[in-house]
Amino acid sequence: KKRARATPKIGRPLSEEERLLLKLKEDEKLPWKDIIRIFRSRLDKEYQIPMLQMRYKRLRGRLCQSADGEEKALRLADRHWETNKWDIISEKMLQFGSTHRWTPKKCAQKWQEL
C-alpha cells in the first residue's frame, strides 16, 4: 500500500527537531554522520541518515513556499509605500518636530530640493 503524503503545513512554526536540523546543516554545515550523532544524543531517538535527508529536503521546500508568500507580501507592502510614501511622510513631519503641517506634495518638492 502507498502511504498518503503529508501536505506541508506552511504556516506552522518549526519544531525543535526542525530548528536543530536547519542549524546543524545550514549554519554549522556538518556532515550527515555528525548530524545523526547529535540528533541521537540530544533527542534520545533513533534516526537514519536517509530519513533526516528527506526531512531536510521537505523542510527546505516548505520554507521556500513560505518565502514565496512572504515575497508577495513584501511586494504589496512596497507598492503601498510607493503609492502612499509622501502621505506617510507628511503625517510624520509633526511627530518629528515640524512646527506646521506639510502637504504630501510640498514634502516631495522639498525632498527634491535637498
Side-chain angles (χ1 to χ4, degrees), residues 98-114:
S98 177
T99 56
H100 65 281
R101 186 162 197 59
W102 288 45
T103 66
K105 186 176 180 181
K106 182 69 176 172
C107 289
Q109 288 172 346
K110 186 62 176 178
W111 184 255
Q112 289 299 317
E113 292 172 14
L114 296 174

Side-chain angles (χ1 to χ4, degrees), residues 40-51:
R40 287 178 180 160
S41 67
R42 287 191 189 176
L43 302 174
D44 197 31
K45 291 183 184 177
E46 272 303 308
Y47 291 94
Q48 301 297 322
I49 290 176
M51 190 271 305

Side-chain angles (χ1 to χ4, degrees), residues 10 63-76:
I10 295 171
L63 292 175
C64 286
Q65 287 175 350
S66 178
D68 291 344
E70 299 296 318
E71 185 177 307
K72 180 182 176 186
L74 179 60
R75 289 181 191 278
L76 291 171

Side-chain angles (χ1 to χ4, degrees), residues 24 31-42 45-53:
L24 297 175
W32 287 109
K33 287 182 182 181
D34 293 342
I35 292 173
I36 284 290
R37 198 173 318 112
I38 292 169
F39 259 71
R40 287 178 180 160
S41 67
R42 287 191 189 176
K45 291 183 184 177
E46 272 303 308
Y47 291 94
Q48 301 297 322
I49 290 176
M51 190 271 305
L52 279 184
Q53 288 172 329

